[in-house]
Amino acid sequence: MQVATIAFDRFNTLRDDEAQERIRAARARLGNKAVLLCHHYQRADVYQHADLTGDSLKLARLASQTDAEFIVFCGVHFMAEVADIMSKPEQTAILPDLAAGCSMADMANLAKVERCWRELTEVLGRPDEIITPVTYINSAADLKAFCGEHGGIVCTSTNAPTILDWAFTQRDKVLFFPDQHLGRWTGYKKGIPLDEMVVWDPDLEYGGLTPEQIAKAKILLWKGHCSVHQMFQESHIRRWRMQHPDGFVISHPESNLDVCIHSDYVGSTEYILKTITAAPPNTHWLVGTELNLVNRLAEELKPQGKVVQFMAPTVCMCSTMQRIDPQHLAWTLENLADGNVVNAIRVPPHEAELAKVALERMLAVS
Ligand code: 13P
Ligand code: SF4
């Protein structure tokens, strides 16, 4: 029987243990009608309820494979959008707190990307024949749709090298948004000279570039970054290596180029998790990625004598993902169990169709 939607106000003041109890009770009522997908950065008090966990690529695939009526996404907004786009029409993707965005994704928007495309048209002629637009999955659905419409593609931190290869089989140049660091590191690993990877500043005319710079560039890197990963610096690695000469450094490719170059391993959150988990016991690790994941690994691997340390001296969490707390999860699940769908993420059909083209190209290539 459906009852009236419960307002979040009544959950805001719940103690954590009360919220946990209500999450468990609501899940029992929902049974297999709801599946909980959690990104690796999710806080521990929410992560413990996950049915499925992963990085962005794994979660995008899982979202297309689950049959549950409700996909409750404990991550950020763009991830729930991907779940909506990739799931079946009868399924609903839910984001427990609509304010859980991604600051990097917000650094690009359709108006600015379209302006960039117009300016590139003025300089180069027909960009559809010269440039492949590649959007990192950390972007709004309308930007994925832009890529779908213009022969472009989506990439994740796992498959960026493969996707870049594909992009260059299509056209001579790549416009990569919104993360300059992932684009630069991926291009660097392929041997593209740094002066052929130029930064496009969307707040300046022609990205702040001369026609010669645009003509010479292999990759135009959107001026965007992750506020968490920008905290990691090469000096942190240098200092740590002096104290731990036998240790290993592993970083996420959203970190800057110097950090990536000076790391022993670079890869997605799933790669980081698998690499450290599979490493021999008693090894020592410095990790350049979000704190919740690093803390979880440190705790889980302590019994094997592994020491896992966070790269930055300051605390840096994904503060937006952190908004999905037990109170929001309890509120969401209780409403769903009562028959009230709250915080559904619904990408407009035309946009979803084009975004799906770009996402399916990615899944086919990677
Ligand atoms: P992953 O795809 O590696 O999970 O990265 C997503 C992300 O937002 C990292 O900041
Ligand atoms: Fe976005 Fe950075 Fe959070 Fe990843 S860690 S979701 S890039 S703000």
Side-chain angles (χ1 to χ4, degrees):
M1 185 192 63
Q2 182 175 343
V3 296
T5 305
I6 320 164
F8 178 65
D9 291 358
R10 293 186 28 208
F11 284 71
N12 210 5
T13 51
L14 278 188
R15 285 199 323 266
D16 280 355
D17 59 329
E18 292 171 332
Q20 296 292 357
E21 193 42 51
R22 289 175 73 160
I23 290 170
R24 280 189 281 273
R27 294 216 70 193
R29 284 167 64 205
L30 280 161
N32 55 15
K33 276 174 82 170
V35 64
L36 240 93
L37 264 57
C38 265
H39 187 266
H40 292 307
Y41 292 164
Q42 195 62 69
R43 45 195 288 167
D45 51 10
V46 167
Y47 196 84
Q48 62 177 332
H49 297 288
D51 294 310
L52 302 164
T53 61
D55 63 5
S56 306
L57 180 63
K58 189 169 161 194
L59 291 171
R61 286 190 196 281
L62 289 170
S64 67
Q65 288 161 4
T66 165
D67 285 325
E69 185 178 344
F70 302 116
I71 302 173
V72 180
F73 213 114
C74 299
V76 289
H77 195 270
F78 75 82
M79 298 178 187
E81 280 188 336
V82 171
D84 178 52
I85 295 165
M86 301 309 287
S87 58
K88 301 172 192 75
E90 61 275 18
Q91 293 179 293
T92 305
I94 313 268
L95 185 66
D97 184 349
L98 294 178
C102 163
S103 54
M104 176 205 282
D106 293 343
M107 289 178 191
N109 63 42
L110 188 59
K112 288 184 178 180
V113 169
E114 284 183 338
R115 174 181 152 189
C116 165
W117 206 247
R118 276 196 306 276
E119 290 178 343
L120 290 172
T121 310
E122 284 174 40
V123 177
L124 298 169
R126 293 181 292 269
D128 276 288
E129 290 172 13
I130 299 171
I131 307 176
T132 309
V134 177
T135 187
Y136 188 23
I137 197 165
N138 295 35
S139 57
D142 56 3
L143 295 186
K144 295 183 177 82
F146 177 91
C147 289
E149 194 173 8
H150 292 277
I153 194 162
V154 177
C155 79
T156 71
S157 55
T158 300
N159 60 24
T162 313
I163 299 298
L164 207 58
D165 286 343
W166 178 88
F168 282 121
T169 63
Q170 306 299 302
R171 296 161 195 172
D172 284 348
K173 295 179 190 289
V174 163
L175 171 64
F176 192 97
F177 46 90
D179 185 20
Q180 59 172 299
H181 298 299
L182 176 65
R184 188 179 291 107
W185 168 246
T186 311
Y188 174 84
K189 288 292 280 178
K190 294 194 179 300
I192 299 174
L194 288 176
D195 66 348
E196 293 180 22
M197 295 190 278
V198 291
V199 175
W200 181 278
D201 183 341
D203 294 324
L204 299 175
E205 269 198 333
Y206 302 99
L209 299 168
T210 62
E212 293 73 31
Q213 284 173 311
I214 293 172
K216 188 181 172 201
K218 284 298 280 178
I219 308 183
L220 294 149
L221 300 165
W222 195 263
K223 193 178 177 198
H225 64 268
C226 165
S227 47
V228 176
H229 290 84
Q230 69 159 353
M231 301 299 280
F232 306 126
Q233 299 301 326
E234 189 241 317
S235 58
H236 302 147
I237 301 179
R238 233 180 316 116
R239 241 174 282 141
W240 188 83
R241 285 208 196 271
M242 285 199 279
Q243 286 157 8
H244 308 282
D246 299 329
F248 301 99
V249 179
I250 188 164
S251 304
H252 195 281
E254 287 173 15
S255 309
N256 71 47
L257 183 65
D258 279 345
V259 167
C260 292
I261 287 174
H262 289 89
S263 296
D264 300 300
Y265 305 92
V266 179
S268 74
T269 54
E270 186 78 10
Y271 172 85
I272 292 173
L273 188 143
K274 282 189 174 153
T275 306
I276 306 182
T277 305
N282 306 314
T283 43
H284 209 142
W285 291 84
L286 183 70
V287 189
T289 200
E290 203 263 358
L291 189 59
N292 280 301
L293 172 56
V294 180
N295 282 346
R296 188 174 314 119
L297 282 170
E299 208 45 49
E300 282 174 11
L301 300 175
K302 212 190 287 173
Q304 298 174 24
K306 289 180 203 172
V307 179
V308 180
Q309 286 179 272
F310 186 60
M311 191 176 286
T314 48
V315 170
C316 31
M317 293 187 183
C318 179
S319 56
T320 43
M321 204 176 300
Q322 191 77 1
R323 289 173 187 262
I324 312 274
D325 56 14
Q327 287 72 14
H328 282 88
L329 185 56
W331 171 73
T332 305
L333 294 172
E334 243 177 65
N335 270 302
L336 290 180
D338 287 348
N340 297 310
V341 178
V342 289
N343 287 10
I345 302 296
R346 294 196 176 98
V347 177
H350 181 62
E351 200 172 295
E353 204 179 300
L354 287 170
K356 198 169 182 176
V357 170
L359 280 160
E360 283 181 342
R361 274 186 197 133
M362 170 186 85
L363 294 176
V365 174
S366 54

